[in-house]
Amino acid sequence: MAELDNPNVMSNLITFLSSLIQKVAESNDLNCGFQAQKISVFHGLTRPTISIQSYLHRIYKYANCSPSCFIVAYVYLDRFSQRQPSLPINSFNVHRLLITSVMVAAKFMDDMFYNNAFYAKVGGISTTEMNFLEVDFLFGLGFHLNVNPKAFHTYYSYLQRQMMMMLQPPPPSTAPESSIESTLKVHLCFSDEESTSHQKEQLAV
């Protein structure tokens, strides 16, 4: 999409996307004591000191991948969360999931892309670890990498709507919040085969 080539649009998108993912991670941090979770190669021993927003902007600055890769990476993260419910996105794994999802998206989407060693340097990890993360991520996705135009538009439109809502002051209302508005869920569940009603949202933050 042409508007993604606008640096200002992408900067706002990266900022909002990082905010969205941070809310999901924080929600899952709170729920970690109430649901079974596995430890994976994505799980760090400590929380990284760099914020999700700074980390995602760093990837955007140095990866030089096409802007669409960040939308596709978001799709991949959602698919991963749906297929791996015992590995929810949290503060201990979110950074490794981000660098891996963007790298895999770039390899699938772009004609030219950097190798694993470069992405490892951008992400602050070793090349060996980057290789392991890529393999685990691909298996976690079931190698379901294709994102059709309808699915891409669905995810991108959702992000656009949420950004517009964030920038506009909420109208006064006395109506009770809906379950989607009042509850943080684990992931944003869009089906790639869904038609115009893409309201099958299980993550709305």
Side-chain angles (χ1 to χ4, degrees):
M1 295 186 176
E3 60 263 32
L4 289 177
D5 294 326
N6 185 323
N8 292 329
V9 171
M10 274 306 298
S11 179
N12 291 336
L13 179 66
I14 294 296
T15 298
F16 175 77
L17 186 56
S18 61
S19 175
L20 177 68
I21 294 172
Q22 181 174 335
K23 288 181 181 180
V24 175
E26 290 174 349
S27 175
N28 287 328
D29 288 344
L30 295 175
N31 294 330
C32 65
F34 305 99
Q35 58 188 39
Q37 297 185 12
K38 293 192 301 184
I39 302 298
S40 70
V41 294
F42 299 98
H43 196 94
L45 297 177
T46 59
R47 292 182 176 90
T49 56
I50 185 172
S51 69
I52 295 174
Q53 181 174 324
S54 297
Y55 194 69
L56 199 55
H57 273 285
R58 173 181 170 82
I59 297 173
Y60 173 61
K61 179 178 180 180
Y62 293 107
N64 289 323
C65 58
S66 62
S68 297
C69 289
F70 289 89
I71 308 297
V72 173
Y74 179 45
V75 177
Y76 288 168
L77 287 175
D78 189 35
R79 288 178 180 173
F80 188 89
S81 295
Q82 293 178 52
R83 293 179 61 91
Q84 309 296 327
S86 61
L87 294 175
I89 297 172
N90 58 43
S91 297
F92 291 91
N93 63 25
V94 61
H95 293 75
R96 287 175 173 83
L97 284 169
L98 281 172
I99 188 66
T100 308
S101 62
V102 174
M103 183 185 75
V104 171
K107 287 186 174 184
F108 189 78
M109 295 289 294
D110 293 350
D111 294 330
M112 298 181 64
F113 51 84
Y114 289 113
N115 59 20
N116 288 26
F118 181 86
Y119 274 93
K121 188 174 182 179
V122 171
I125 57 178
S126 69
T127 303
T128 300
E129 184 176 7
M130 188 79 260
N131 294 340
F132 279 119
L133 294 176
E134 180 183 28
V135 172
D136 268 51
F137 193 71
L138 290 171
F139 275 98
L141 289 173
F143 292 86
H144 183 198
L145 299 180
N146 186 53
V147 178
N148 62 44
K150 181 189 293 183
F152 184 94
H153 180 73
T154 297
Y155 280 84
Y156 182 50
S157 296
Y158 171 81
L159 291 174
Q160 283 183 311
R161 290 197 309 272
Q162 294 302 310
M163 282 192 295
M164 290 179 63
M165 291 172 60
M166 181 180 67
L167 294 174
Q168 295 175 352
S173 174
T174 57
E177 288 184 320
S178 67
S179 59
I180 287 178
E181 293 168 333
S182 61
T183 307
L184 288 175
K185 303 295 180 70
V186 178
H187 47 74
L188 194 153
C189 223
F190 286 143
S191 169
D192 290 351
E193 287 76 29
E194 281 189 39
S195 60
T196 54
S197 81
H198 43 260
Q199 301 306 321
K200 189 183 176 186
E201 296 153 80
Q202 291 188 354
L203 175 159
V205 290

